Amino acid sequence: DKQQKLEHDFLEAEASLRSGFSSYAAHYTELLTEQRSFFERAAKSLESYLSEVHSEKSTEEESLAAAKSLAQEGAEACEGLLNAQNEEHARRDSLLKTLQKVEEDLSKVAK
């Protein structure tokens, strides 16, 4: 009788332990599933963010290249204008010297 009670108590304790462990394992598995889902969403968000960063980088690189090209074109245009202005000044100086010489020659002839 005492042996049967001990066996009965043991079996109840074992069943309780199995039930508790089973419940613990189920909750732990659920927690792991939730964590996996969270990390997968986080990874997808990071991949999306990385894609946006790469896209922005490409856009900024294209904009920078275009700005450099425009700056180069502007510098070339300014240089061209300065050269044209210098040539114009040289022509005017040459013309002025020629006119002064003609004026001297005319004044010599007129005397």
Side-chain angles (χ1 to χ4, degrees):
D1 188 39
K2 184 176 179 182
Q3 180 68 27
Q4 284 181 342
K5 176 154 177 33
L6 287 173
E7 283 181 26
H8 177 67
D9 290 346
F10 175 78
L11 292 176
E12 280 185 1
E14 184 181 26
S16 176
L17 181 62
R18 283 181 193 261
S19 174
F21 183 76
S22 178
S23 178
Y24 167 79
H27 289 317
Y28 190 71
T29 302
E30 184 179 333
L31 176 65
L32 290 176
T33 301
E34 289 173 4
Q35 285 182 335
R36 181 181 191 151
S37 177
F38 169 78
F39 287 123
E40 286 174 351
R41 286 191 310 271
K44 285 181 183 178
S45 293
L46 289 174
E47 288 171 2
S48 176
Y49 176 72
L50 184 60
S51 176
E52 289 176 24
V53 167
H54 283 296
S55 177
E56 280 185 30
K57 180 183 175 199
S58 295
T59 301
E60 287 179 11
E61 287 173 344
E62 290 170 6
S63 294
L64 182 59
K68 285 181 180 179
S69 176
L70 286 174
Q72 179 66 30
E73 288 176 20
E76 289 171 0
C78 287
E79 186 176 334
L81 288 173
L82 286 173
N83 288 339
Q85 188 178 23
N86 289 337
E87 289 173 6
E88 178 65 24
H89 284 292
R91 278 194 296 272
R92 283 184 184 175
D93 288 344
S94 174
L95 183 59
L96 181 61
K97 287 178 185 174
T98 302
L99 287 174
Q100 287 172 342
K101 181 151 176 35
V102 168
E103 182 182 25
E104 286 176 16
D105 290 344
L106 283 177
S107 68
K108 285 180 188 177
V109 171
K111 288 183 180 181

